[in-house]
Amino acid sequence: MLDAAFQELGDGGYAALTVERIAQRSGVHAATIYRRWRTIERIVCELMIDISAEVPLPDTGALADDLRALARSIAAFYAEPRFRGLLEAVVSAAAREPAAADVLREFFEERLRLAGRMVHRAVERGELAGGADADEIMAALGAPFYYRLLIARRPIDLRLADRAAEAAWTAARAGIFTRGPQDAKPGNAELQSAESQDAEPGTADLQSAEPRNAEPGNAEGGR
């Protein structure tokens, strides 16, 4: 049924995709499809999960090469018009149905987790600092593709793939995505500083005034 959905998506696009058309192409009764998926949005999300597993996660022994290989695999994946159409369908589905949005978010979280193994291996090899944030590095790698596909609406090519990989690697090695003490809790450094000031009832002026009142020579203290 997912294969039939993919073929229908390629022939008519997401706007023309219906459970009835999938049922006709697959030979499965529409009621059976409705019972399993309930909506067309859930079908395209599961289809995305199924097909994206075809994108391999490299292990070359060097993170720079891993990132380049993965970026090129992503570029090759979206070079196929049906795969681009599938991505657009999934994003549209997620905007229309909360359950589909949940599936899409879980899918990307899982892909980030799996791809993050490349970063963890790089840390073990000493290529990156121990606080390297795998999610941020992989997000930096993928972001140019989704901007190009969904916003700029331009083709994907190897030049984009190589630049995305190089940018992610350069930033990671420079420590841009390394977690610091300010990442220990949701607030940033400035917010934490402000919180520490507000933790006590007295303000800075009141605290500075207290030592003056404590000295015998103070006018109030001498009374």
Side-chain angles (χ1 to χ4, degrees):
M1 287 182 285
L2 290 178
D3 183 61
F6 185 53
Q7 294 177 33
E8 284 292 330
L9 191 63
D11 291 345
Y14 179 61
L17 187 64
T18 65
V19 169
E20 288 70 26
R21 292 177 68 91
I22 296 172
Q24 184 178 12
R25 185 182 285 264
S26 66
V28 177
H29 199 281
T32 301
I33 300 176
Y34 277 117
R35 277 197 301 270
R36 178 168 179 178
W37 285 285
R38 295 196 294 175
T39 67
I40 203 72
E41 287 82 7
R42 295 187 182 190
I43 292 175
V44 296
C45 284
E46 185 166 336
L47 181 59
M48 182 71 173
I49 293 172
D50 185 68
I51 290 179
S52 294
E54 299 176 10
V55 179
L57 296 176
D59 184 5
T60 66
L63 182 59
D65 294 336
D66 284 348
L67 293 173
R68 185 179 303 107
L70 178 57
R72 288 190 165 212
S73 293
I74 295 173
F77 181 81
Y78 287 124
E80 167 59 51
R82 291 191 181 190
F83 292 145
R84 291 201 305 271
L86 176 59
L87 174 66
E88 293 170 353
V90 169
V91 172
S92 177
R96 291 158 56 102
E97 183 180 327
D102 290 340
V103 171
L104 180 63
R105 183 179 60 256
E106 290 170 5
F107 160 71
F108 276 110
E109 287 176 351
E110 176 65 9
R111 290 298 296 179
L112 283 172
R113 186 186 69 80
L114 293 174
R117 294 175 181 173
M118 296 189 301
V119 176
H120 300 319
R121 291 194 295 262
V123 171
E124 292 173 356
R125 292 191 296 262
E127 293 181 86
L128 298 178
D133 191 320
D135 285 355
E136 292 295 331
I137 294 171
M138 301 317 303
L141 177 72
F145 292 98
Y146 299 112
Y147 174 83
R148 177 76 66 90
L149 287 166
L150 300 173
I151 306 301
R153 313 288 293 181
R154 293 165 52 199
I156 297 294
D157 52 32
L158 289 181
R159 184 182 183 187
L160 174 69
D162 289 346
R163 284 185 171 183
E166 182 64 26
W169 162 244
T170 301
R173 193 170 186 184
I176 300 299
F177 303 121
T178 300
R179 293 176 180 170
Q182 68 273 18
D183 299 316
K185 60 179 181 178
N188 59 26
E190 291 77 12
L191 180 58
Q192 292 175 21
S193 176
E195 289 174 346
S196 66
Q197 292 178 5
D198 294 336
E200 298 180 2
T203 63
D205 293 337
L206 180 58
Q207 292 171 3
S208 63
E210 289 175 350
R212 292 196 299 268
N213 294 335
E215 295 178 1
N218 181 274
E220 297 294 333
R223 293 178 181 173

PDB file of all heavy atoms in Angstrom, residues 97-133:
ATOM      1  N   GLU A  97      -2.555  18.269  10.296  1.00  0.00           N
ATOM      2  CA  GLU A  97      -3.015  17.335  11.308  1.00  0.00           C
ATOM      3  C   GLU A  97      -1.980  17.174  12.410  1.00  0.00           C
ATOM      4  O   GLU A  97      -0.824  16.814  12.142  1.00  0.00           O
ATOM      5  CB  GLU A  97      -3.308  15.970  10.678  1.00  0.00           C
ATOM      6  CG  GLU A  97      -3.852  14.960  11.673  1.00  0.00           C
ATOM      7  CD  GLU A  97      -4.144  13.613  11.019  1.00  0.00           C
ATOM      8  OE1 GLU A  97      -4.525  13.585   9.846  1.00  0.00           O
ATOM      9  OE2 GLU A  97      -3.971  12.607  11.717  1.00  0.00           O
ATOM     10  N   PRO A  98      -2.343  17.427  13.659  1.00  0.00           N
ATOM     11  CA  PRO A  98      -1.387  17.317  14.762  1.00  0.00           C
ATOM     12  C   PRO A  98      -0.732  15.940  14.856  1.00  0.00           C
ATOM     13  O   PRO A  98       0.455  15.839  15.171  1.00  0.00           O
ATOM     14  CB  PRO A  98      -2.249  17.601  15.996  1.00  0.00           C
ATOM     15  CG  PRO A  98      -3.370  18.446  15.489  1.00  0.00           C
ATOM     16  CD  PRO A  98      -3.659  17.939  14.111  1.00  0.00           C
ATOM     17  N   ALA A  99      -1.489  14.877  14.580  1.00  0.00           N
ATOM     18  CA  ALA A  99      -0.914  13.534  14.664  1.00  0.00           C
ATOM     19  C   ALA A  99       0.192  13.366  13.639  1.00  0.00           C
ATOM     20  O   ALA A  99       1.219  12.743  13.905  1.00  0.00           O
ATOM     21  CB  ALA A  99      -1.998  12.482  14.451  1.00  0.00           C
ATOM     22  N   ALA A 100       0.000  13.925  12.461  1.00  0.00           N
ATOM     23  CA  ALA A 100       1.032  13.859  11.428  1.00  0.00           C
ATOM     24  C   ALA A 100       2.245  14.684  11.834  1.00  0.00           C
ATOM     25  O   ALA A 100       3.388  14.298  11.564  1.00  0.00           O
ATOM     26  CB  ALA A 100       0.476  14.347  10.089  1.00  0.00           C
ATOM     27  N   ALA A 101       2.002  15.808  12.483  1.00  0.00           N
ATOM     28  CA  ALA A 101       3.110  16.637  12.962  1.00  0.00           C
ATOM     29  C   ALA A 101       3.932  15.880  13.991  1.00  0.00           C
ATOM     30  O   ALA A 101       5.164  15.975  14.016  1.00  0.00           O
ATOM     31  CB  ALA A 101       2.577  17.940  13.552  1.00  0.00           C
ATOM     32  N   ASP A 102       3.261  15.129  14.851  1.00  0.00           N
ATOM     33  CA  ASP A 102       3.961  14.324  15.852  1.00  0.00           C
ATOM     34  C   ASP A 102       4.827  13.262  15.177  1.00  0.00           C
ATOM     35  O   ASP A 102       5.978  13.032  15.580  1.00  0.00           O
ATOM     36  CB  ASP A 102       2.970  13.646  16.791  1.00  0.00           C
ATOM     37  CG  ASP A 102       2.269  14.633  17.713  1.00  0.00           C
ATOM     38  OD1 ASP A 102       2.804  15.749  17.900  1.00  0.00           O
ATOM     39  OD2 ASP A 102       1.199  14.299  18.240  1.00  0.00           O
ATOM     40  N   VAL A 103       4.278  12.626  14.156  1.00  0.00           N
ATOM     41  CA  VAL A 103       5.027  11.600  13.428  1.00  0.00           C
ATOM     42  C   VAL A 103       6.252  12.216  12.767  1.00  0.00           C
ATOM     43  O   VAL A 103       7.357  11.658  12.814  1.00  0.00           O
ATOM     44  CB  VAL A 103       4.138  10.915  12.376  1.00  0.00           C
ATOM     45  CG1 VAL A 103       4.965  10.003  11.470  1.00  0.00           C
ATOM     46  CG2 VAL A 103       3.041  10.098  13.056  1.00  0.00           C
ATOM     47  N   LEU A 104       6.067  13.379  12.144  1.00  0.00           N
ATOM     48  CA  LEU A 104       7.180  14.041  11.474  1.00  0.00           C
ATOM     49  C   LEU A 104       8.269  14.425  12.464  1.00  0.00           C
ATOM     50  O   LEU A 104       9.461  14.213  12.205  1.00  0.00           O
ATOM     51  CB  LEU A 104       6.674  15.281  10.743  1.00  0.00           C
ATOM     52  CG  LEU A 104       7.726  16.089   9.976  1.00  0.00           C
ATOM     53  CD1 LEU A 104       8.345  15.246   8.860  1.00  0.00           C
ATOM     54  CD2 LEU A 104       7.106  17.358   9.397  1.00  0.00           C
ATOM     55  N   ARG A 105       7.878  14.973  13.612  1.00  0.00           N
ATOM     56  CA  ARG A 105       8.865  15.362  14.623  1.00  0.00           C
ATOM     57  C   ARG A 105       9.616  14.140  15.149  1.00  0.00           C
ATOM     58  O   ARG A 105      10.845  14.175  15.296  1.00  0.00           O
ATOM     59  CB  ARG A 105       8.168  16.083  15.781  1.00  0.00           C
ATOM     60  CG  ARG A 105       9.142  16.597  16.842  1.00  0.00           C
ATOM     61  CD  ARG A 105       8.445  17.332  17.959  1.00  0.00           C
ATOM     62  NE  ARG A 105       7.474  16.498  18.659  1.00  0.00           N
ATOM     63  CZ  ARG A 105       6.165  16.582  18.507  1.00  0.00           C
ATOM     64  NH1 ARG A 105       5.654  17.460  17.672  1.00  0.00           N
ATOM     65  NH2 ARG A 105       5.360  15.784  19.177  1.00  0.00           N
ATOM     66  N   GLU A 106       8.900  13.078  15.420  1.00  0.00           N
ATOM     67  CA  GLU A 106       9.544  11.853  15.908  1.00  0.00           C
ATOM     68  C   GLU A 106      10.491  11.287  14.858  1.00  0.00           C
ATOM     69  O   GLU A 106      11.569  10.771  15.193  1.00  0.00           O
ATOM     70  CB  GLU A 106       8.485  10.827  16.284  1.00  0.00           C
ATOM     71  CG  GLU A 106       7.687  11.207  17.535  1.00  0.00           C
ATOM     72  CD  GLU A 106       6.498  10.295  17.750  1.00  0.00           C
ATOM     73  OE1 GLU A 106       6.361   9.316  16.977  1.00  0.00           O
ATOM     74  OE2 GLU A 106       5.717  10.545  18.691  1.00  0.00           O
ATOM     75  N   PHE A 107      10.090  11.391  13.607  1.00  0.00           N
ATOM     76  CA  PHE A 107      10.946  10.895  12.530  1.00  0.00           C
ATOM     77  C   PHE A 107      12.272  11.647  12.505  1.00  0.00           C
ATOM     78  O   PHE A 107      13.349  11.039  12.459  1.00  0.00           O
ATOM     79  CB  PHE A 107      10.225  11.047  11.187  1.00  0.00           C
ATOM     80  CG  PHE A 107      11.148  11.017  10.004  1.00  0.00           C
ATOM     81  CD1 PHE A 107      11.761   9.835   9.614  1.00  0.00           C
ATOM     82  CD2 PHE A 107      11.407  12.178   9.294  1.00  0.00           C
ATOM     83  CE1 PHE A 107      12.622   9.817   8.527  1.00  0.00           C
ATOM     84  CE2 PHE A 107      12.260  12.158   8.207  1.00  0.00           C
ATOM     85  CZ  PHE A 107      12.875  10.978   7.821  1.00  0.00           C
ATOM     86  N   PHE A 108      12.211  12.978  12.531  1.00  0.00           N
ATOM     87  CA  PHE A 108      13.443  13.753  12.467  1.00  0.00           C
ATOM     88  C   PHE A 108      14.274  13.582  13.730  1.00  0.00           C
ATOM     89  O   PHE A 108      15.515  13.585  13.669  1.00  0.00           O
ATOM     90  CB  PHE A 108      13.132  15.227  12.212  1.00  0.00           C
ATOM     91  CG  PHE A 108      12.946  15.555  10.758  1.00  0.00           C
ATOM     92  CD1 PHE A 108      11.704  15.873  10.259  1.00  0.00           C
ATOM     93  CD2 PHE A 108      14.013  15.515   9.885  1.00  0.00           C
ATOM     94  CE1 PHE A 108      11.527  16.161   8.911  1.00  0.00           C
ATOM     95  CE2 PHE A 108      13.865  15.801   8.538  1.00  0.00           C
ATOM     96  CZ  PHE A 108      12.609  16.130   8.045  1.00  0.00           C
ATOM     97  N   GLU A 109      13.627  13.436  14.869  1.00  0.00           N
ATOM     98  CA  GLU A 109      14.380  13.191  16.101  1.00  0.00           C
ATOM     99  C   GLU A 109      15.141  11.868  16.015  1.00  0.00           C
ATOM    100  O   GLU A 109      16.288  11.775  16.453  1.00  0.00           O
ATOM    101  CB  GLU A 109      13.429  13.189  17.296  1.00  0.00           C
ATOM    102  CG  GLU A 109      12.919  14.571  17.675  1.00  0.00           C
ATOM    103  CD  GLU A 109      11.900  14.519  18.798  1.00  0.00           C
ATOM    104  OE1 GLU A 109      11.474  13.395  19.163  1.00  0.00           O
ATOM    105  OE2 GLU A 109      11.514  15.590  19.309  1.00  0.00           O
ATOM    106  N   GLU A 110      14.499  10.865  15.451  1.00  0.00           N
ATOM    107  CA  GLU A 110      15.160   9.569  15.309  1.00  0.00           C
ATOM    108  C   GLU A 110      16.304   9.643  14.309  1.00  0.00           C
ATOM    109  O   GLU A 110      17.377   9.083  14.535  1.00  0.00           O
ATOM    110  CB  GLU A 110      14.138   8.514  14.867  1.00  0.00           C
ATOM    111  CG  GLU A 110      14.723   7.130  14.597  1.00  0.00           C
ATOM    112  CD  GLU A 110      15.310   6.465  15.839  1.00  0.00           C
ATOM    113  OE1 GLU A 110      15.123   6.993  16.964  1.00  0.00           O
ATOM    114  OE2 GLU A 110      15.959   5.423  15.684  1.00  0.00           O
ATOM    115  N   ARG A 111      16.089  10.343  13.205  1.00  0.00           N
ATOM    116  CA  ARG A 111      17.167  10.490  12.214  1.00  0.00           C
ATOM    117  C   ARG A 111      18.346  11.269  12.814  1.00  0.00           C
ATOM    118  O   ARG A 111      19.504  10.930  12.565  1.00  0.00           O
ATOM    119  CB  ARG A 111      16.653  11.208  10.972  1.00  0.00           C
ATOM    120  CG  ARG A 111      15.695  10.383  10.142  1.00  0.00           C
ATOM    121  CD  ARG A 111      16.307   9.127   9.589  1.00  0.00           C
ATOM    122  NE  ARG A 111      17.379   9.408   8.642  1.00  0.00           N
ATOM    123  CZ  ARG A 111      18.096   8.458   8.027  1.00  0.00           C
ATOM    124  NH1 ARG A 111      17.874   7.182   8.294  1.00  0.00           N
ATOM    125  NH2 ARG A 111      19.044   8.773   7.179  1.00  0.00           N
ATOM    126  N   LEU A 112      18.045  12.295  13.600  1.00  0.00           N
ATOM    127  CA  LEU A 112      19.116  13.042  14.254  1.00  0.00           C
ATOM    128  C   LEU A 112      19.871  12.160  15.234  1.00  0.00           C
ATOM    129  O   LEU A 112      21.104  12.241  15.344  1.00  0.00           O
ATOM    130  CB  LEU A 112      18.546  14.257  14.976  1.00  0.00           C
ATOM    131  CG  LEU A 112      18.167  15.469  14.126  1.00  0.00           C
ATOM    132  CD1 LEU A 112      17.444  16.504  14.974  1.00  0.00           C
ATOM    133  CD2 LEU A 112      19.388  16.081  13.460  1.00  0.00           C
ATOM    134  N   ARG A 113      19.138  11.333  15.940  1.00  0.00           N
ATOM    135  CA  ARG A 113      19.777  10.435  16.909  1.00  0.00           C
ATOM    136  C   ARG A 113      20.710   9.461  16.212  1.00  0.00           C
ATOM    137  O   ARG A 113      21.853   9.255  16.641  1.00  0.00           O
ATOM    138  CB  ARG A 113      18.720   9.666  17.696  1.00  0.00           C
ATOM    139  CG  ARG A 113      19.292   8.814  18.825  1.00  0.00           C
ATOM    140  CD  ARG A 113      18.218   7.963  19.478  1.00  0.00           C
ATOM    141  NE  ARG A 113      17.748   6.932  18.575  1.00  0.00           N
ATOM    142  CZ  ARG A 113      18.394   5.776  18.350  1.00  0.00           C
ATOM    143  NH1 ARG A 113      19.536   5.524  18.960  1.00  0.00           N
ATOM    144  NH2 ARG A 113      17.903   4.891  17.521  1.00  0.00           N
ATOM    145  N   LEU A 114      20.247   8.884  15.125  1.00  0.00           N
ATOM    146  CA  LEU A 114      21.076   7.926  14.393  1.00  0.00           C
ATOM    147  C   LEU A 114      22.286   8.604  13.764  1.00  0.00           C
ATOM    148  O   LEU A 114      23.414   8.115  13.868  1.00  0.00           O
ATOM    149  CB  LEU A 114      20.236   7.229  13.318  1.00  0.00           C
ATOM    150  CG  LEU A 114      19.122   6.310  13.825  1.00  0.00           C
ATOM    151  CD1 LEU A 114      18.282   5.800  12.658  1.00  0.00           C
ATOM    152  CD2 LEU A 114      19.695   5.144  14.606  1.00  0.00           C
ATOM    153  N   ALA A 115      22.053   9.742  13.108  1.00  0.00           N
ATOM    154  CA  ALA A 115      23.160  10.452  12.470  1.00  0.00           C
ATOM    155  C   ALA A 115      24.132  10.989  13.506  1.00  0.00           C
ATOM    156  O   ALA A 115      25.337  11.127  13.230  1.00  0.00           O
ATOM    157  CB  ALA A 115      22.618  11.592  11.609  1.00  0.00           C
ATOM    158  N   GLY A 116      23.629  11.265  14.706  1.00  0.00           N
ATOM    159  CA  GLY A 116      24.493  11.774  15.762  1.00  0.00           C
ATOM    160  C   GLY A 116      25.587  10.810  16.172  1.00  0.00           C
ATOM    161  O   GLY A 116      26.582  11.215  16.783  1.00  0.00           O
ATOM    162  N   ARG A 117      25.431   9.554  15.823  1.00  0.00           N
ATOM    163  CA  ARG A 117      26.482   8.587  16.132  1.00  0.00           C
ATOM    164  C   ARG A 117      27.791   8.968  15.461  1.00  0.00           C
ATOM    165  O   ARG A 117      28.872   8.685  15.982  1.00  0.00           O
ATOM    166  CB  ARG A 117      26.053   7.189  15.677  1.00  0.00           C
ATOM    167  CG  ARG A 117      24.859   6.621  16.453  1.00  0.00           C
ATOM    168  CD  ARG A 117      24.409   5.297  15.865  1.00  0.00           C
ATOM    169  NE  ARG A 117      23.254   4.760  16.574  1.00  0.00           N
ATOM    170  CZ  ARG A 117      22.585   3.693  16.188  1.00  0.00           C
ATOM    171  NH1 ARG A 117      22.960   3.030  15.091  1.00  0.00           N
ATOM    172  NH2 ARG A 117      21.526   3.268  16.869  1.00  0.00           N
ATOM    173  N   MET A 118      27.708   9.604  14.302  1.00  0.00           N
ATOM    174  CA  MET A 118      28.930  10.048  13.619  1.00  0.00           C
ATOM    175  C   MET A 118      29.674  11.052  14.487  1.00  0.00           C
ATOM    176  O   MET A 118      30.903  11.030  14.570  1.00  0.00           O
ATOM    177  CB  MET A 118      28.569  10.671  12.271  1.00  0.00           C
ATOM    178  CG  MET A 118      27.925   9.708  11.285  1.00  0.00           C
ATOM    179  SD  MET A 118      27.753  10.403   9.625  1.00  0.00           S
ATOM    180  CE  MET A 118      26.747  11.829   9.969  1.00  0.00           C
ATOM    181  N   VAL A 119      28.921  11.947  15.125  1.00  0.00           N
ATOM    182  CA  VAL A 119      29.535  12.957  15.986  1.00  0.00           C
ATOM    183  C   VAL A 119      30.134  12.301  17.229  1.00  0.00           C
ATOM    184  O   VAL A 119      31.240  12.641  17.651  1.00  0.00           O
ATOM    185  CB  VAL A 119      28.506  14.028  16.376  1.00  0.00           C
ATOM    186  CG1 VAL A 119      29.114  15.025  17.356  1.00  0.00           C
ATOM    187  CG2 VAL A 119      27.985  14.748  15.137  1.00  0.00           C
ATOM    188  N   HIS A 120      29.401  11.352  17.808  1.00  0.00           N
ATOM    189  CA  HIS A 120      29.919  10.667  18.997  1.00  0.00           C
ATOM    190  C   HIS A 120      31.227   9.932  18.682  1.00  0.00           C
ATOM    191  O   HIS A 120      32.156   9.932  19.498  1.00  0.00           O
ATOM    192  CB  HIS A 120      28.878   9.691  19.530  1.00  0.00           C
ATOM    193  CG  HIS A 120      27.584  10.352  19.924  1.00  0.00           C
ATOM    194  ND1 HIS A 120      27.552  11.549  20.593  1.00  0.00           N
ATOM    195  CD2 HIS A 120      26.289   9.978  19.740  1.00  0.00           C
ATOM    196  CE1 HIS A 120      26.290  11.892  20.812  1.00  0.00           C
ATOM    197  NE2 HIS A 120      25.506  10.956  20.305  1.00  0.00           N
ATOM    198  N   ARG A 121      31.288   9.321  17.509  1.00  0.00           N
ATOM    199  CA  ARG A 121      32.530   8.642  17.125  1.00  0.00           C
ATOM    200  C   ARG A 121      33.665   9.649  16.947  1.00  0.00           C
ATOM    201  O   ARG A 121      34.817   9.376  17.298  1.00  0.00           O
ATOM    202  CB  ARG A 121      32.316   7.846  15.831  1.00  0.00           C
ATOM    203  CG  ARG A 121      31.401   6.632  15.992  1.00  0.00           C
ATOM    204  CD  ARG A 121      31.503   5.704  14.793  1.00  0.00           C
ATOM    205  NE  ARG A 121      31.027   6.329  13.570  1.00  0.00           N
ATOM    206  CZ  ARG A 121      29.814   6.156  13.054  1.00  0.00           C
ATOM    207  NH1 ARG A 121      28.937   5.384  13.689  1.00  0.00           N
ATOM    208  NH2 ARG A 121      29.463   6.738  11.926  1.00  0.00           N
ATOM    209  N   ALA A 122      33.323  10.826  16.412  1.00  0.00           N
ATOM    210  CA  ALA A 122      34.340  11.863  16.227  1.00  0.00           C
ATOM    211  C   ALA A 122      34.885  12.338  17.572  1.00  0.00           C
ATOM    212  O   ALA A 122      36.080  12.611  17.710  1.00  0.00           O
ATOM    213  CB  ALA A 122      33.751  13.036  15.445  1.00  0.00           C
ATOM    214  N   VAL A 123      34.016  12.445  18.571  1.00  0.00           N
ATOM    215  CA  VAL A 123      34.463  12.830  19.908  1.00  0.00           C
ATOM    216  C   VAL A 123      35.389  11.768  20.475  1.00  0.00           C
ATOM    217  O   VAL A 123      36.440  12.074  21.058  1.00  0.00           O
ATOM    218  CB  VAL A 123      33.243  13.046  20.837  1.00  0.00           C
ATOM    219  CG1 VAL A 123      33.698  13.228  22.278  1.00  0.00           C
ATOM    220  CG2 VAL A 123      32.426  14.253  20.376  1.00  0.00           C
ATOM    221  N   GLU A 124      35.038  10.503  20.286  1.00  0.00           N
ATOM    222  CA  GLU A 124      35.877   9.408  20.784  1.00  0.00           C
ATOM    223  C   GLU A 124      37.242   9.401  20.105  1.00  0.00           C
ATOM    224  O   GLU A 124      38.253   9.040  20.722  1.00  0.00           O
ATOM    225  CB  GLU A 124      35.167   8.076  20.549  1.00  0.00           C
ATOM    226  CG  GLU A 124      33.910   7.896  21.404  1.00  0.00           C
ATOM    227  CD  GLU A 124      33.141   6.646  21.025  1.00  0.00           C
ATOM    228  OE1 GLU A 124      33.553   5.965  20.052  1.00  0.00           O
ATOM    229  OE2 GLU A 124      32.124   6.348  21.690  1.00  0.00           O
ATOM    230  N   ARG A 125      37.276   9.813  18.834  1.00  0.00           N
ATOM    231  CA  ARG A 125      38.557   9.860  18.112  1.00  0.00           C
ATOM    232  C   ARG A 125      39.358  11.110  18.443  1.00  0.00           C
ATOM    233  O   ARG A 125      40.507  11.252  18.017  1.00  0.00           O
ATOM    234  CB  ARG A 125      38.309   9.812  16.596  1.00  0.00           C
ATOM    235  CG  ARG A 125      37.774   8.497  16.077  1.00  0.00           C
ATOM    236  CD  ARG A 125      37.822   8.464  14.559  1.00  0.00           C
ATOM    237  NE  ARG A 125      36.961   9.455  13.953  1.00  0.00           N
ATOM    238  CZ  ARG A 125      35.734   9.218  13.487  1.00  0.00           C
ATOM    239  NH1 ARG A 125      35.221   7.997  13.587  1.00  0.00           N
ATOM    240  NH2 ARG A 125      35.017  10.182  12.945  1.00  0.00           N
ATOM    241  N   GLY A 126      38.758  12.053  19.158  1.00  0.00           N
ATOM    242  CA  GLY A 126      39.451  13.285  19.500  1.00  0.00           C
ATOM    243  C   GLY A 126      39.332  14.372  18.458  1.00  0.00           C
ATOM    244  O   GLY A 126      40.013  15.397  18.540  1.00  0.00           O
ATOM    245  N   GLU A 127      38.457  14.188  17.477  1.00  0.00           N
ATOM    246  CA  GLU A 127      38.279  15.204  16.442  1.00  0.00           C
ATOM    247  C   GLU A 127      37.518  16.417  16.978  1.00  0.00           C
ATOM    248  O   GLU A 127      37.717  17.542  16.496  1.00  0.00           O
ATOM    249  CB  GLU A 127      37.522  14.636  15.252  1.00  0.00           C
ATOM    250  CG  GLU A 127      38.256  13.567  14.466  1.00  0.00           C
ATOM    251  CD  GLU A 127      37.425  13.074  13.292  1.00  0.00           C
ATOM    252  OE1 GLU A 127      37.505  13.717  12.231  1.00  0.00           O
ATOM    253  OE2 GLU A 127      36.698  12.071  13.438  1.00  0.00           O
ATOM    254  N   LEU A 128      36.601  16.180  17.929  1.00  0.00           N
ATOM    255  CA  LEU A 128      35.788  17.250  18.495  1.00  0.00           C
ATOM    256  C   LEU A 128      35.874  17.204  20.017  1.00  0.00           C
ATOM    257  O   LEU A 128      36.212  16.171  20.597  1.00  0.00           O
ATOM    258  CB  LEU A 128      34.322  17.096  18.072  1.00  0.00           C
ATOM    259  CG  LEU A 128      33.999  17.173  16.584  1.00  0.00           C
ATOM    260  CD1 LEU A 128      32.509  16.950  16.366  1.00  0.00           C
ATOM    261  CD2 LEU A 128      34.425  18.512  15.986  1.00  0.00           C
ATOM    262  N   ALA A 129      35.530  18.341  20.624  1.00  0.00           N
ATOM    263  CA  ALA A 129      35.510  18.410  22.084  1.00  0.00           C
ATOM    264  C   ALA A 129      34.374  17.551  22.631  1.00  0.00           C
ATOM    265  O   ALA A 129      33.395  17.251  21.942  1.00  0.00           O
ATOM    266  CB  ALA A 129      35.339  19.862  22.529  1.00  0.00           C
ATOM    267  N   GLY A 130      34.517  17.176  23.891  1.00  0.00           N
ATOM    268  CA  GLY A 130      33.538  16.288  24.500  1.00  0.00           C
ATOM    269  C   GLY A 130      32.142  16.863  24.584  1.00  0.00           C
ATOM    270  O   GLY A 130      31.171  16.118  24.650  1.00  0.00           O
ATOM    271  N   GLY A 131      32.007  18.185  24.568  1.00  0.00           N
ATOM    272  CA  GLY A 131      30.684  18.789  24.668  1.00  0.00           C
ATOM    273  C   GLY A 131      30.014  19.040  23.333  1.00  0.00           C
ATOM    274  O   GLY A 131      29.006  19.744  23.269  1.00  0.00           O
ATOM    275  N   ALA A 132      30.538  18.458  22.258  1.00  0.00           N
ATOM    276  CA  ALA A 132      29.967  18.691  20.935  1.00  0.00           C
ATOM    277  C   ALA A 132      28.509  18.239  20.904  1.00  0.00           C
ATOM    278  O   ALA A 132      28.180  17.130  21.307  1.00  0.00           O
ATOM    279  CB  ALA A 132      30.774  17.946  19.870  1.00  0.00           C
ATOM    280  N   ASP A 133      27.640  19.115  20.431  1.00  0.00           N
ATOM    281  CA  ASP A 133      26.209  18.840  20.382  1.00  0.00           C
ATOM    282  C   ASP A 133      25.871  18.191  19.044  1.00  0.00           C
ATOM    283  O   ASP A 133      25.815  18.862  18.006  1.00  0.00           O
ATOM    284  CB  ASP A 133      25.429  20.145  20.556  1.00  0.00           C
ATOM    285  CG  ASP A 133      23.950  19.903  20.788  1.00  0.00           C
ATOM    286  OD1 ASP A 133      23.385  19.005  20.140  1.00  0.00           O
ATOM    287  OD2 ASP A 133      23.351  20.614  21.615  1.00  0.00           O
TER     288      ASP A 133
END
